């Protein structure tokens, strides 16, 4: 594993991020429930995780980035039912992700192969890839890269991190973004996938999960 990726993981680990320790039991089951393509109720989260209903409600109230519908059901947290540029197809259901790195990290967390399509942030050229839990199966164009930032404050993970993490068709296409983000960097998609897998290991201590399904 490249030292650069290890250094990035260390930087992320120094910041617990939005949700803190609750992501150990909440994040992975929530992602798996969202893959069904339907809003997730607080009651469903409590049943799936084995946590008291009030505790689940309290945690959700602290997540500034969580997306809720009018009934208070979760419709997005990293993986979302609300359209974004990052299309995320799993089991023939059309979902979306908040950022490019999410699309690479989530296949292992949900235990499914996914098909991803996202425009190059600079040129608009479509980038298409198929990702299995343990590898990038296909990538077009093969020169695609992912922009990465390491914010000091991830109390709102979407605004501080996700909104700056994009696909670019080539490293040269990302040059303008790099000029505007001197502390940012770009990684080839397969290296970004390895970074995502390492970051995803922080959520391996999740509680009980839905057996029909295989924290940033």
């Amino acid at each position: 594993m490249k030292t650069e990726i290890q250094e990035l993981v260390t930087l992320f680990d120094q910041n617990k991020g939005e949700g803190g320790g609750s992501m150990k039991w909440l994040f992975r089951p929530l992602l798996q429930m969202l893959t069904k393509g339907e809003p997730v109720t607080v009651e469903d989260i409590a049943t799936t995780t084995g946590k008291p209903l009030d505790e689940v409600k309290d945690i959700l109230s602290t997540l500034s980035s969580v997306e809720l519908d009018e009934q208070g059901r979760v419709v997005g947290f990293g993986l979302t039912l609300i359209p974004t540029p990052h299309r995320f197809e799993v089991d023939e259901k059309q979902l979306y992700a908040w950022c490019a790195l999410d699309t690479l990290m989530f296949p292992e967390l949900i235990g499914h192969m996914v098909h991803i399509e996202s425009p190059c942030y600079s040129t608009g050229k479509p980038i298409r890839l198929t990702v299995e839990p343990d590898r990038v199966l296909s990538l077009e164009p093969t020169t695609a890269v992912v922009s990465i930032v390491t914010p000091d404050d991830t109390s709102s993970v979407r605004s501080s991190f996700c909104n700056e993490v994009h696909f670019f068709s080539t490293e040269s296409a990302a040059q303008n973004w790099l000029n505007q983000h001197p502390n940012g960097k770009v990684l080839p998609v397969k290296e970004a996938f390895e970074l995502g897998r390492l970051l995803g290991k922080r959520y391996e201590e999740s509680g009980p999960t839905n057996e029909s399904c295989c924290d940033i």
Side-chain angles (χ1 to χ4, degrees), residues 86-107:
H86 310 290
R87 297 170 63 89
F88 188 96
E89 182 183 321
V90 54
D91 287 345
E92 299 184 349
K93 294 182 178 65
Q94 184 59 67
L95 302 168
Y96 303 86
W98 284 354
C99 72
L101 191 62
D102 283 347
T103 68
L104 300 171
M105 180 170 68
F106 291 168

Side-chain angles (χ1 to χ4, degrees), residues 13-198:
D13 283 345
Q14 291 171 351
N15 192 321
K16 291 184 179 180
E18 188 172 348
S22 65
M23 293 297 98
K24 291 287 187 180
W25 57 263
L26 172 64
F27 191 54
R28 192 178 209 175
L30 181 55
L31 289 180
Q32 292 174 339
M33 286 185 280
L34 285 168
T35 62
K36 297 177 182 178
E38 300 290 341
V40 178
T41 67
V42 176
E43 290 79 9
D44 285 341
I45 297 173
T47 298
T48 300
T49 62
K51 296 292 183 177
L53 186 62
D54 287 344
E55 182 176 352
V56 174
K57 290 179 178 178
D58 288 344
I59 291 300
L60 290 178
S61 71
T62 69
L63 301 178
S64 60
S65 298
V66 71
E67 296 173 311
L68 304 175
D69 64 10
E70 293 180 353
Q71 287 75 46
R73 300 174 298 179
V74 177
V75 294
F77 192 65
L79 189 62
T80 180
L81 308 183
I82 300 173
T84 76
H86 310 290
R87 297 170 63 89
F88 188 96
E89 182 183 321
V90 54
D91 287 345
E92 299 184 349
K93 294 182 178 65
Q94 184 59 67
L95 302 168
Y96 303 86
W98 284 354
C99 72
L101 191 62
D102 283 347
T103 68
L104 300 171
M105 180 170 68
F106 291 168
E108 183 171 37
L109 289 175
I110 65 175
H112 288 275
M113 180 177 71
V114 303
H115 301 287
I116 299 155
E117 181 173 331
S118 182
C120 170
Y121 189 69
S122 175
T123 67
K125 179 179 179 178
I127 296 166
R128 300 182 179 92
L129 56 160
T130 298
V131 181
E132 294 184 332
D134 62 347
R135 61 174 174 159
V136 177
L137 189 62
S138 65
L139 172 64
E140 180 186 351
T142 57
T143 53
V145 298
V146 176
S147 60
I148 300 292
V149 292
T150 52
D152 294 328
D153 179 11
T154 54
S155 57
S156 176
V157 66
R158 191 169 192 181
S159 61
S160 64
F161 179 76
C162 292
N163 289 348
E164 296 295 345
V165 180
H166 315 288
F167 282 109
F168 292 88
S169 56
T170 63
E171 186 171 349
S172 61
Q175 191 57 55
N176 187 52
W177 183 90
L178 287 167
N179 292 340
Q180 296 175 20
H181 300 81
N183 295 323
K185 59 186 62 185
V186 296
L187 295 175
V189 165
K190 289 188 178 181
E191 291 187 16
F193 172 75
E194 292 302 329
L195 172 62
R197 287 190 72 193
L198 288 173

